[in-house]
Amino acid sequence: MLPYTELRFRQQVERAIRSIKTVLENNKTPECPTGGGHTYDDKYALVELVTNTAVASQVTCLELLGLDEAKLKKLKQFAQDRSVTLRLKVEEKCTFVRQTERQKESSAYVTEKKGVAGKSTTTEKVITKFTDYFWKFEVEYELFAFRGNDIDDKILLIKRCGQHELKTSANVSPHPKNTVIPSMDVNITWLLNKVGDKCQATFSIDRFDKACHTPRRNPEVEEAITYFSDFYTWAQSVSNYFKAQLFPKHSKPDSFDFNLINSNDVLVPCVPLFVNANRARSQGLEKEKKNTLVGINSDAIPGSPVFHASDLNKMLAEQSRGLRELFQRMEVNFSNSEDIIAATDAKVAVIADYFKLISQHYYNSVEFVEDLIRKQLISAIGRELSPVDFNTYMAFHNKRLFKKDFRQYPFSYPVRFEDNAVEGTVSIEAQQTVGSDVLPIFTHVRGGKATVPMKFALDASSYVSFYGERYVHGWVSNQFAGKSGISSLNLVSRARQFCSYIVMVGRIVSADVFQPTFSMLVRNKDEIKIPLELETIPTPKEFADAIASLSPEQQRFAKAFRAMKLSSTLFGVAVIQIKPQLEKLLNLPYGSLAKEISLTQRLLDLFITYQIPSDLVSYDGPRNLKLSLKIKIIETNVSKIEEMVATTKQEQLLQHQNERLFQKKEKIIECGRKGGFFPVEEAGEVEHDRAWHEGREGGGEGGEGGSIDFEECEKSVKEVKEVEEVKVKRAKRKEKRPEAEGKNLASCEKEQVYKKKSTVAKKKMDVRAMKEREEKKRNIEKEKERERRERREREREIARKQKEEQDMREQEMLQLEKEYEEARRLDEEEDRTVKQEEKEREGKGDNRAAVPAKEEEDLTAIPTSLESKFEELDEDSALRPTIINPGQVWTKKFQKTLLSPVSVETIRSTEQEAEKKKTFDLLDALSRSGSLDIDYASLHVVVASTHCFAESLMNTVVKDNINPIEKVERSNLIIATTIHQKAAEDIIKPDQVERVRTFSPKLFMKNEDTA
């Protein structure tokens, strides 16, 4: 069938209304249903009447094809225990009859010839012989119904044989000798079961069936649509056979008016119409009158706008009249009953087309009722809603549902050390649509201080234990037809300037073990986004149904893997604060580094970049020493380590430079030995490196000098330059050498005089230049002397300051030694006091160490608890456990320097591994390879579930007749009661208890049984 479109449906209804007005009284006005003037039950009644009308209309058509009351009763008997099939069986034959010959003369033409005797005229004609072959084409078909697979026990409706003579010009059969057309079958058991003993249509909808959702969505209507869809396909096949296969085989198809085979002008009574309500209530009910084989008999509903059965019977009678009138016209046009195209064939073809109209009208009618419900709902709300709108409402609804102490809270937590300022935030944020606001998700949360440590592995042999805050979150998302209303879900970590902390993402694998999959260091205005992906696993009922027919071994295998999947639903986020742990590592009181920003940054760089052992920088003196002195000692230790690192760097750099110079020296010597040319540029580099090296030897930035023999290197460079200069001079003299031949004596004398004058002038210039050089040299000596005096003054000033600093350091060291001794004395007194108290307690029998530690909750039991609750309380089997998986590609926003713009980079698997290694190196230093517990940390465990609806939001309400608010509310209560370990009535506001009890009674059954 064609899909429902409102425009085509409106055209069908308008055409039907025009015909119906001619049948009904003037005080009855048929109209298409709108949003008002009727009740929801009227929609059920309307669908039932439309279905009964379609049943009666179809039986009426079969009546015109030969079905009578006796045959109908027998078919109903067949349908009581077996299926009944309606079949069109067709056989075609084509046999040779005769052949004939015929001649055809062409027109005569005259030919003139001239000869000696004169003109002669000849008349000629062409005679063509043709052979015609005649064939007898026969068709025989039967339309009958039979029970089960017993074709012999059949009820014949139509049987016809026709023949027609075909002519061909070749001795080739125009059609196969024998052709058996594949049987065209349709099951009509449903139709027969909807006809009562009194030949009345008896279709009705069981409104109390759990599978009945709406007038359109219920088992009875679904069966009807399936039947009419199959019948539409059958009728299409029958119509195509007659119109596209049989009728074109006639030798003179133009002699027939095939336009008569059209039932569009005949009333199709199965349309969803109401009669004007006011007039319908004022009129009296007429006595039912049936003019067809099957009619309609239904109880009238007082005040209902649905048509009365008597009106529908009138429409069926009008349908029968219209078809019979059409048959009469076809009998005039298709009069030869022996031919292959006869009135009977035309009737079957037009009835097949009318069957299609009935099926299409019925489907459009029930779809219209559903579309009407949709439009009414949209009109009431104001617009069509999406999953985003539903999420917005549920956030509002949950605030009104739960008590204050059990409300959902946004997953956005500050990273804070006691009452100090916030160092950053960790949140799970969702963006519902692209471009919309990014907000944290809301979860049911329970938390507190941990009394038993949780641990994670640094490597195969080292475990780190951590305490701090523990939070258990329960989050319920929803999906409509696979769409959740969340375009992106991210774990976002942000740090403030000069602040840092560690975030680890992983799973809870046992009662006291956290297994981190990823780890990152967030510092100095970093913002790291980790995309989160949701993976749902089957509900407990779906899993049980899937393994029900498996062997015990296969079931145990499947259950083992499901247990692993359930444990993966414990998504963990651990946040470790660095400053408090750094203070503990350095043996400083908590809060000591709150304002020591520079020292903190220096320590982190040493731990992360160089993996410096923490013992080298930590404070290991008396406990009672002043805090400022402790920090000063640590700063001194850090400075020594930094100085050592810098010295090591410079030595490595110097070694690299020496190796480079040595290689160049070897190259210069080798070139000189072979008499080759060494590039002047590289020789210049050697001189530059020599100057840099000498500057380092003279007390420059570098420290001590190297071991290169620069004198020998310089000598080699000079030798190379001298050799090159001699070569150049020889070449120039050779080019400028005057040739003695051809010169006269006078020219030679002039040349000698010129040379003498040039020599005298040159000597005068040399004397003047020498004086200038001497003057310049004296000035240079004076400048050097002045610089030497200034340098000596600076050295004396530096020495004086160094002496003052040395005196101050000595004084500070003396003061430090005094305070150090005093602090050590106080430590010894405290230790003696503690030991004395322990001895006294032992003497009194007070053994406080024997007090058992409080047991911590086993978080791995939460998925199992939820699994049992889902199975018990989730009646729709729609709440699925959900695994949260970190995405593969992260994004990081950061600033390289304080004045740099914000940069964004992508972190992929390689960078993620490097980031994890870096943070684990830091954790190894902070925990002394696991020997030092981490006190200030927080662990967030998120247990996610997804309530899945098969249809979209609007289809869930319209088609399934489900209020998703109540369903998701129940899912939220299942999660909330598990997380908070409270009964449902204890966490719901008192004014909401009765409403929730009405729609989710199972949530309260245990408490009622206990009471």
Side-chain angles (χ1 to χ4, degrees):
M1 290 186 290
L2 298 176
Y4 168 80
T5 58
E6 186 176 4
L7 178 61
R8 182 170 58 245
F9 171 75
R10 293 289 179 183
Q11 294 172 350
Q12 295 172 354
V13 170
E14 290 174 1
R15 190 162 50 246
I17 288 177
R18 287 195 295 270
S19 299
I20 291 172
K21 285 183 177 180
T22 63
V23 177
L24 301 180
E25 293 80 1
N26 291 335
N27 64 342
K28 297 179 180 179
T29 304
E31 59 186 10
C32 192
T34 57
H38 65 278
T39 64
Y40 190 68
D41 286 339
D42 290 335
K43 290 184 174 68
Y44 276 100
L46 181 62
V47 173
E48 289 175 343
L49 284 180
V50 168
T51 309
N52 284 320
T53 305
V55 170
S57 178
Q58 203 170 65
V59 175
T60 299
C61 294
L62 292 174
E63 180 184 5
L64 296 176
L65 294 178
L67 183 68
D68 55 21
E69 188 171 354
K71 293 179 180 179
L72 179 61
K73 289 183 178 179
K74 190 171 182 180
L75 288 175
K76 283 180 56 59
Q77 292 177 357
F78 286 173
Q80 290 179 358
D81 56 353
R82 300 288 297 277
S83 64
V84 180
T85 304
L86 182 65
R87 170 175 290 181
L88 177 65
K89 181 181 179 183
V90 182
E91 293 184 9
E92 296 177 351
K93 295 180 181 179
C94 187
T95 57
F96 179 75
V97 179
R98 67 185 184 281
Q99 86 178 47
T100 60
E101 293 183 354
R102 56 187 174 87
Q103 296 179 349
K104 184 178 181 181
E105 296 181 354
S106 65
S107 58
Y109 59 92
V110 179
T111 304
E112 292 183 354
K113 294 183 179 180
K114 293 181 181 182
V116 178
K119 294 181 179 182
S120 62
T121 304
T122 305
T123 303
E124 296 179 353
K125 290 184 178 181
V126 177
I127 300 175
T128 306
K129 290 185 178 181
F130 295 93
T131 301
D132 293 329
Y133 301 89
F134 292 88
W135 308 83
K136 180 182 179 182
F137 179 76
E138 298 175 286
V139 61
E140 179 181 358
Y141 64 84
E142 292 180 341
L143 181 64
F144 59 92
F146 61 93
R147 176 173 58 178
N149 59 353
D150 187 5
I151 301 178
D152 297 331
D153 188 9
K154 63 183 180 181
I155 297 177
L156 185 65
L157 300 181
I158 292 179
K159 182 176 182 180
R160 200 185 91 77
C161 298
Q163 63 182 14
H164 184 69
E165 191 174 68
L166 302 177
K167 181 176 69 173
T168 62
S169 59
N171 191 14
V172 178
S173 177
H175 302 290
K177 184 176 181 180
N178 291 298
T179 303
V180 178
I181 305 297
S183 299
M184 288 166 269
D185 297 348
V186 62
N187 192 322
I188 59 172
T189 307
W190 181 88
L191 177 69
L192 298 172
N193 288 333
K194 300 308 173 187
V195 177
D197 295 336
K198 297 181 180 181
C199 292
Q200 303 287 344
T202 59
F203 175 84
S204 62
I205 299 174
D206 184 3
R207 307 181 192 185
F208 299 100
D209 187 356
K210 289 185 178 180
C212 177
H213 302 301
T214 65
R216 162 65 179 86
R217 305 289 167 173
N218 54 79
E220 291 79 15
V221 172
E222 293 292 346
E223 289 179 2
I225 290 176
T226 301
Y227 165 75
F228 282 107
S229 178
D230 294 341
F231 211 96
Y232 182 96
T233 304
W234 178 83
Q236 181 75 38
S237 301
V238 173
S239 176
N240 287 343
Y241 170 73
F242 282 98
K243 290 183 177 181
Q245 297 185 40
L246 180 61
F247 292 169
K249 292 177 180 178
H250 198 280
S251 60
K252 297 180 180 179
D254 296 337
S255 61
F256 300 95
D257 185 7
F258 290 110
N259 291 327
L260 290 175
I261 306 177
N262 186 355
S263 59
N264 289 335
D265 294 333
V266 180
L267 171 64
V268 181
C270 51
V271 287
L273 295 176
F274 283 160
V275 68
N276 186 280
N278 294 330
R279 297 180 182 177
R281 290 164 186 162
S282 62
Q283 67 182 6
L285 297 178
E286 300 179 6
K287 185 177 179 181
E288 181 181 344
K289 184 179 180 181
K290 179 170 72 71
N291 296 319
T292 55
L293 180 59
V294 172
I296 296 174
N297 182 18
S298 61
D299 297 331
I301 303 175
S304 173
V306 179
F307 271 106
H308 188 257
S310 60
D311 297 328
L312 295 174
N313 287 328
K314 290 178 183 180
M315 298 179 196
L316 291 172
E318 173 61 19
Q319 169 203 342
S320 178
R321 186 199 65 78
L323 289 173
R324 293 178 188 278
E325 184 179 322
L326 181 60
F327 286 175
Q328 292 174 1
R329 292 198 300 271
M330 287 190 295
E331 286 176 356
V332 174
N333 185 63
F334 307 94
S335 57
N336 187 0
S337 60
E338 300 297 329
D339 204 348
I340 60 172
I341 300 180
T344 303
D345 308 320
K347 289 178 183 178
V348 175
V350 77
I351 288 296
D353 287 342
Y354 194 76
F355 276 141
K356 290 167 57 181
L357 289 178
I358 294 173
S359 300
Q360 188 66 55
H361 276 60
Y362 174 73
Y363 177 74
N364 290 344
S365 298
V366 294
E367 289 293 327
F368 164 75
V369 174
E370 184 171 87
D371 188 58
L372 178 62
I373 296 173
R374 181 186 301 274
K375 288 182 178 179
Q376 287 181 264
L377 185 63
I378 293 175
S379 177
I381 297 173
R383 64 186 178 89
E384 189 166 352
L385 300 179
S386 66
V388 176
D389 301 313
F390 183 77
N391 291 339
T392 303
Y393 174 79
M394 288 309 301
F396 163 77
H397 178 78
N398 290 330
K399 291 179 182 178
R400 299 192 304 170
L401 176 65
F402 294 100
K403 293 179 180 179
K404 183 177 179 180
D405 294 338
F406 303 100
R407 287 179 184 171
Q408 292 180 327
Y409 288 93
F411 193 103
S412 180
Y413 290 87
V415 180
R416 182 200 299 267
F417 169 59
E418 293 184 349
D419 295 331
N420 293 341
V422 175
E423 296 197 348
T425 58
V426 175
S427 59
I428 297 180
E429 298 177 350
Q431 186 177 27
Q432 297 184 343
T433 57
V434 177
S436 64
D437 295 335
V438 180
L439 300 173
I441 63 172
F442 281 77
T443 64
H444 300 280
V445 58
R446 172 174 56 86
K449 290 286 185 180
T451 57
V452 177
M454 184 73 74
K455 59 185 179 181
F456 63 90
L458 282 176
D459 50 42
S461 60
S462 301
Y463 280 83
V464 178
S465 299
F466 63 96
Y467 291 84
E469 299 168 337
R470 300 275 170 84
Y471 297 96
V472 181
H473 302 263
W475 180 49
V476 180
S477 63
N478 53 76
Q479 286 185 359
F480 292 92
K483 297 181 179 180
S484 64
I486 297 177
S487 63
S488 63
L489 186 68
N490 298 287
L491 174 64
V492 184
S493 304
R494 299 181 179 91
R496 295 188 176 182
Q497 188 66 54
F498 305 124
C499 299
S500 57
Y501 58 91
I502 294 174
V503 176
M504 294 188 295
V505 179
R507 311 281 180 195
I508 307 299
V509 296
S510 66
D512 61 343
V513 176
F514 170 66
Q515 182 178 353
T517 308
F518 302 101
S519 179
M520 72 205 88
L521 175 64
V522 190
R523 60 192 298 191
N524 296 335
K525 297 182 72 173
D526 286 350
E527 179 182 297
I528 300 178
K529 285 186 179 181
I530 302 178
L532 302 178
E533 300 170 354
L534 303 181
E535 176 191 353
T536 60
I537 60 178
T539 64
K541 185 178 183 303
E542 290 172 342
F543 177 74
D545 294 342
I547 67 171
S549 59
L550 297 180
S551 67
E553 292 78 9
Q554 294 167 344
Q555 288 184 5
R556 291 195 298 272
F557 179 80
K559 289 178 180 179
F561 268 86
R562 181 172 177 83
M564 181 188 69
K565 284 285 188 180
L566 287 176
S567 66
S568 299
T569 59
L570 294 173
F571 177 73
V573 179
V575 180
I576 296 177
Q577 299 184 40
I578 293 178
K579 279 187 181 179
Q581 186 62 21
L582 201 56
E583 291 164 351
K584 183 177 181 180
L585 175 70
L586 300 175
N587 297 321
L588 295 176
Y590 284 122
S592 302
L593 298 178
K595 298 181 181 180
E596 299 293 334
I597 298 174
S598 176
L599 178 60
T600 304
Q601 297 293 328
R602 292 162 62 191
L603 285 166
L604 291 181
D605 290 337
L606 290 177
F607 290 148
I608 296 173
T609 308
Y610 304 105
Q611 288 85 47
I612 298 298
S614 58
D615 294 339
L616 298 180
V617 295
S618 61
Y619 171 74
D620 54 0
R623 296 187 301 272
N624 290 283
L625 192 65
K626 290 182 180 180
L627 177 60
S628 59
L629 296 177
K630 291 181 179 179
I631 293 176
K632 193 166 186 179
I633 292 173
I634 293 173
E635 286 180 341
T636 303
N637 295 339
V638 171
S639 298
K640 289 179 180 179
I641 296 295
E642 289 175 341
E643 184 179 350
M644 181 191 69
V645 169
T647 302
T648 305
K649 282 183 177 180
Q650 295 296 343
E651 289 176 353
Q652 294 175 355
L653 183 61
L654 179 61
Q655 182 181 358
H656 174 71
Q657 190 70 19
N658 289 342
E659 292 174 357
R660 180 168 171 267
L661 290 175
F662 183 78
Q663 293 174 359
K664 288 184 178 180
K665 173 201 164 186
E666 291 292 332
K667 191 173 182 181
I668 293 170
I669 295 173
E670 183 67 22
C671 289
R673 185 183 300 115
K674 293 181 178 180
F677 174 75
F678 186 75
V680 180
E681 292 81 2
E682 293 196 23
E685 290 182 9
V686 173
E687 292 181 358
H688 177 270
D689 292 340
R690 175 182 180 279
W692 177 86
H693 202 285
E694 287 179 349
R696 295 175 56 81
E697 286 181 339
E701 292 184 356
E704 297 181 0
S707 60
I708 295 294
D709 188 354
F710 286 103
E711 296 297 332
E712 185 180 351
C713 185
E714 185 178 2
K715 183 178 178 182
S716 301
V717 173
K718 286 181 180 180
E719 290 176 357
V720 172
K721 287 184 178 181
E722 288 176 359
V723 171
E724 294 299 326
E725 288 176 359
V726 169
K727 290 181 179 179
V728 172
K729 287 179 181 180
R730 286 178 180 176
K732 287 182 179 181
R733 282 199 301 269
K734 189 175 181 180
E735 292 175 358
K736 296 179 180 181
R737 180 181 300 163
E739 297 182 0
E741 294 81 359
K743 288 189 178 182
N744 54 27
L745 182 60
S747 62
C748 290
E749 290 177 356
K750 288 180 181 180
E751 185 177 353
Q752 290 177 1
V753 171
Y754 175 76
K755 285 183 177 180
K756 288 179 181 180
K757 290 180 179 181
S758 299
T759 304
V760 172
K762 187 176 181 181
K763 286 181 178 180
K764 291 180 180 180
M765 291 176 63
D766 290 342
V767 171
R768 191 163 48 249
M770 187 180 298
K771 290 180 179 181
E772 291 178 357
R773 285 197 297 272
E774 290 177 355
E775 182 66 24
K776 188 176 181 180
K777 187 175 181 180
R778 285 194 296 272
N779 293 335
I780 291 173
E781 290 295 332
K782 289 180 181 179
E783 184 66 23
K784 287 183 177 180
E785 182 62 27
R786 186 181 61 81
E787 289 179 356
R788 282 194 291 271
R789 286 198 303 271
E790 291 178 355
R791 186 166 57 250
R792 285 194 295 271
E793 289 178 0
R794 286 197 301 269
E795 289 175 355
R796 284 195 295 270
E797 183 67 21
I798 291 172
R800 185 181 61 79
K801 290 183 178 180
Q802 289 178 350
K803 188 174 183 305
E804 291 178 356
E805 291 176 359
Q806 181 68 22
D807 293 341
M808 291 179 63
R809 282 198 295 269
E810 290 177 358
Q811 291 178 3
E812 289 177 357
M813 288 301 298
L814 291 173
Q815 182 65 26
L816 179 60
E817 289 177 1
K818 291 180 180 179
E819 295 183 358
Y820 199 85
E821 291 297 329
E822 180 65 20
R824 181 174 293 176
R825 185 183 61 78
L826 294 174
D827 288 350
E828 292 175 354
E829 291 180 359
E830 289 180 358
D831 292 341
R832 286 195 296 271
T833 304
V834 170
K835 289 181 181 179
Q836 185 66 29
E837 291 177 354
E838 289 178 355
K839 288 181 179 180
E840 292 177 357
R841 284 199 299 270
E842 289 176 0
K844 296 179 180 179
D846 183 8
N847 189 4
R848 298 186 182 183
V851 178
K854 182 181 178 181
E855 293 186 1
E856 193 77 13
E857 178 186 5
D858 185 2
L859 299 178
T860 57
I862 294 177
T864 306
S865 177
L866 284 174
E867 178 88 346
S868 60
K869 285 197 173 185
F870 289 173
E871 188 173 7
E872 177 185 0
L873 304 176
D874 184 20
E875 301 173 358
D876 305 318
S877 186
L879 192 56
R880 296 172 179 267
T882 303
I883 301 172
I884 302 177
N885 294 313
Q888 297 181 353
V889 181
W890 307 352
T891 56
K892 179 180 180 181
K893 293 182 181 180
F894 63 97
Q895 282 182 287
K896 292 183 179 180
T897 62
L898 288 175
L899 301 179
S900 300
V902 177
S903 302
V904 181
E905 70 174 0
T906 301
I907 304 177
R908 301 185 184 275
S909 57
T910 304
E911 293 85 358
Q912 291 167 13
E913 287 296 328
E915 189 72 21
K916 181 178 179 181
K917 183 179 183 305
K918 182 172 70 173
T919 54
F920 270 42
D921 288 340
L922 178 58
L923 287 170
D924 182 71
L926 293 177
S927 64
R928 290 180 186 155
S929 299
S931 63
L932 196 65
D933 293 345
I934 297 175
D935 296 329
Y936 287 88
S938 59
L939 176 64
H940 300 266
V941 180
V942 184
V943 184
S945 303
T946 304
H947 193 112
C948 300
F949 296 93
E951 297 286 346
S952 64
L953 175 59
M954 296 303 294
N955 286 344
T956 299
V957 181
V958 174
K959 291 184 177 182
D960 298 338
N961 195 29
I962 292 175
N963 182 359
I965 297 173
E966 297 168 355
K967 302 299 182 180
V968 176
E969 177 188 73
R970 182 186 63 200
S971 298
N972 267 307
L973 287 171
I974 294 174
I975 299 297
T977 53
T978 306
I979 296 298
H980 295 295
Q981 300 177 351
K982 298 283 185 181
E985 58 265 28
D986 295 334
I987 63 177
I988 300 175
K989 290 182 179 179
D991 58 339
Q992 300 287 331
V993 172
E994 288 303 319
R995 181 189 63 79
V996 176
R997 192 192 302 271
T998 302
F999 301 110
S1000 302
K1002 286 188 176 182
L1003 291 171
F1004 303 87
M1005 283 184 178
K1006 281 190 175 181
N1007 296 328
E1008 292 175 355
D1009 294 342
T1010 304

